[in-house]
Amino acid sequence: MLVLLAGIFVVHIATVIMLFVSTIANVWMVDITNFGTISSGLWLQCNKTCDQLPLRGGNDASLKAVQAFMILSIIFSVIALVMFIVQLFTLEKGKRFYITGAIMLVCWMCILIGASIYTARFTGKLSYARSHHGYCFILAWICFCFSFIISILYLVLRKK
């Protein structure tokens, strides 16, 4: 049981770190042009220097929604981690980690909404033919999977 708790804790910390990286770094989309590689993220577009992200076609509200949901997912994931530690020491034996699991499900929903909006509004809409998803986009979807698995394990897991 202790090994399972430690494993969940390590995966939870890894999820929080990956959420931070995917939200902060500016490599959601990578465009390969004749002038070099251009990466764009949630905040900036970087070539050799980083500038504000140029938006076309009314995508400003969509980008702000993605930014908000990714920040909310970080906040809920950190809150769930703190709640897990608190419940680990205060919960009676035989009780389940319902609060931590519910908070992680909210985190999972925030990642789902944010990554889905980005996928729908920004994938394939760039002006360059040779563009692909960057590692931050992939990390966001990996965090989506991890947060769902962790939340289900928290809901099923009992303190022994």
Side-chain angles (χ1 to χ4, degrees):
M1 185 60 156
L2 186 60
V3 173
L4 182 63
L5 286 174
I8 292 172
F9 186 72
V10 167
V11 172
H12 196 147
I13 289 176
T15 303
V16 170
I17 291 169
M18 287 188 297
L19 275 173
F20 268 108
V21 169
S22 70
T23 304
I24 293 170
N26 291 306
V27 193
W28 280 63
M29 288 295 291
V30 177
D31 306 319
I32 301 170
T33 65
N34 295 334
F35 305 109
T37 302
I38 299 172
S39 64
S40 60
L42 301 180
W43 313 100
L44 300 171
Q45 183 175 20
C46 300
N47 190 358
K48 291 183 176 134
T49 61
C50 292
D51 298 319
Q52 283 289 7
L53 196 60
L55 296 173
R56 295 180 295 267
N59 286 332
D60 191 39
S62 299
L63 184 65
K64 297 257 186 250
V66 174
Q67 291 171 346
F69 279 111
M70 291 308 291
I71 289 171
L72 281 173
S73 69
I74 291 172
I75 292 169
F76 284 123
S77 185
V78 169
I79 289 172
L81 187 63
V82 170
M83 285 305 299
F84 173 67
I85 294 169
V86 168
Q87 284 185 324
L88 193 60
F89 292 110
T90 60
L91 203 62
E92 297 174 11
K93 288 189 176 191
K95 301 288 182 176
R96 295 185 185 211
F97 296 94
Y98 287 127
I99 295 172
T100 306
I103 295 172
M104 276 308 288
L105 278 176
V106 173
C107 170
W108 172 74
M109 284 298 296
C110 288
I111 297 170
L112 173 66
I113 294 169
S116 296
I117 291 172
Y118 191 88
T119 303
R121 298 293 286 184
F122 298 102
T123 300
K125 305 282 196 280
L126 299 173
S127 60
Y128 306 110
R130 295 182 295 176
S131 64
H132 62 277
H133 294 293
Y135 70 90
C136 293
F137 181 80
I138 295 166
L139 276 180
W141 283 109
I142 291 171
C143 290
F144 167 76
C145 296
F146 280 177
S147 62
F148 182 72
I149 292 168
I150 291 169
S151 63
I152 297 302
L153 286 175
Y154 280 143
L155 291 173
V156 171
L157 190 66
R158 289 182 186 266
K159 183 177 178 186
K160 299 261 178 178

